[in-house]
Every structure is written in structure tokens, then in C-alpha cells.
Amino acid sequence: MFVNCPFDEAFKAAFEAIVFTITASGYKVRCALEDNDSGDIRYDKLCRLIEASDRTVHDLSRTELGASGLPRFNMPFELGLMMGARRFGGRRQKTKTALIMVTEPYKLPVYLSDLAGSDPVAHHGEPREVIRIVRRYLHARPDGTPLPGAARILADFERFKAELPQIAAALHLQPDEIDAFMEYRTFIDVLAGFLMQS
């Protein structure tokens, strides 16, 4: 499942909630952070990830002007790649689905009017809302069995976050060596181990 979202400190808690919910639901997260091969052109990597993913999650929260005086266009661009694959791709590509999230409701048509009517869901920057929204989008595991409720997934997520220092110590890691952005692959491995023991 392809995840397209901001990779910055302000969004980290929401990103962790997205990744936790997807993984706890039995799906594999695919995102640009999974491979740090400097020789792999980012656009090519994004195309491969989107092509391989039947479901996609897009967070368009970073549309405000940055320090440069310009907004960031990466997230809308990646959503556009998915929409193009869905429109012009083969049979499998045409079955792709997308969850579009934003921070505040009703603002998407202001900056991306071509997607009017796409019904993005607002999470207000709250990880608990992110979990509820992503769980509702997935609603079942890959084998079709129903997912537990959002309250259960949230409780497991909070327990995971609380236990991370002890997990890190047991693995001879510092807590910052399980960073969701800077050490993404370690974060995913630790998360998978936690879920297997839960």
C-alpha cells in the first residue's frame, strides 16, 4: 500500500499512525523511505511503488507556503501519478483505490479544484483521527477478515509508542535509532516484531 505524505517532524506522529494502522491491518507499507539507494531516481522509484500498489494513501496537509515562499507540490504530484495510472493504466491499474486526507475540511477545492468531489477526509493533525480514517478505508485484512475497531488499534499504537524505549534497549539501539523517518527500515522491522508478539 503506497503512502504519500510529508516527511517532516511536524507530521511524524501522523505518519507513525498511518504506518502502524496499515501494518497492524496486515498490509505492507510502500513509501519513498523504504530504499535509500542514492542511484535510484526518485521519480522512477515513485512510479514503481505506485504501479505495485492497489491501494494508496495520500495526505495533502503541506499546502501552505514554506520558508521559500512556495508551497510543496510533491504530495499532489504523487497523487497525480496514481490518478494517471488509474486512468491510463492496464486492467489492474484501473482498480486502484485512494484515500485522500487533509488537515482541515473544505480547503482542498481552494488549492486543487480539479479534485472537487473527491471527498478528502480531515484528520486535524491528530494521530487518533488518522488511525480511525485509515482503518475505515481498509475495513478488512487482505484475506477479508474484519479489522478490530479503531479504539483497539489506537490502544495498541499507544502501547507500541510507550514500549519503544524498552524495545530499543533490548535490541541494543538508542531510541532515536528507531526513528520513523531517519531509520525507517529499522522502525518497520521493530513494528513488525511488536505486532507479532501482540
Side-chain angles (χ1 to χ4, degrees):
M1 178 173 307
F2 178 67
V3 174
N4 163 27
C5 69
F7 298 138
D8 58 43
E9 285 299 314
F11 194 78
K12 186 182 286 185
F15 177 71
E16 291 172 345
I18 292 169
V19 170
F20 185 92
T21 306
I22 292 171
T23 306
S25 300
Y27 295 88
K28 180 179 180 182
V29 177
R30 307 296 309 269
C31 74
L33 297 175
E34 72 181 48
D35 182 9
N36 58 3
D37 178 3
S38 297
D40 193 3
I41 305 302
R42 177 69 66 98
Y43 173 77
D44 293 338
K45 180 193 298 186
L46 292 170
C47 288
R48 284 194 312 274
L49 294 172
I50 291 168
E51 181 181 24
S53 302
D54 295 330
R55 291 177 179 244
T56 60
V57 175
H58 305 266
D59 192 289
L60 304 183
S61 295
R62 290 293 179 273
T63 55
E64 67 275 0
L65 299 182
S68 66
L70 297 170
R72 291 184 54 198
F73 294 115
N74 290 359
M75 280 66 71
F77 177 73
E78 292 173 34
L79 173 60
L81 287 175
M82 190 286 300
M83 298 293 277
R86 185 169 154 169
R87 172 67 65 162
F88 302 111
R91 184 178 305 165
R92 179 178 172 212
Q93 299 301 312
K94 291 183 186 306
T95 64
K96 289 185 182 305
T97 64
L99 168 63
I100 302 172
M101 295 189 290
V102 293
T103 304
E104 301 298 329
Y106 313 118
K107 288 191 175 181
L108 185 67
V110 174
Y111 58 85
L112 198 52
S113 60
D114 286 348
L115 281 180
S118 65
D119 297 327
V121 186
H123 55 63
H124 305 284
E126 295 291 332
R128 68 175 52 249
E129 283 300 301
V130 169
I131 288 171
R132 184 182 61 77
I133 292 164
V134 174
R135 185 255 173 232
R136 186 178 347 131
Y137 170 61
L138 298 175
H139 78 273
R141 297 185 185 282
D143 66 5
T145 59
L147 289 173
R152 167 64 187 275
I153 297 172
L154 176 61
D156 289 345
F157 174 66
E158 290 174 343
R159 186 165 56 87
F160 171 67
K161 295 286 288 176
E163 292 179 13
L164 264 181
Q166 291 82 17
I167 294 170
L171 295 171
H172 306 290
L173 296 168
Q174 296 298 315
D176 64 352
E177 292 177 310
I178 309 178
D179 183 87
F181 291 147
M182 299 307 295
E183 300 291 342
Y184 173 76
R185 289 182 292 180
T186 302
F187 180 83
I188 287 293
D189 290 344
V190 168
L191 173 56
F194 170 84
L195 290 169
M196 283 180 61
Q197 295 174 4
S198 295

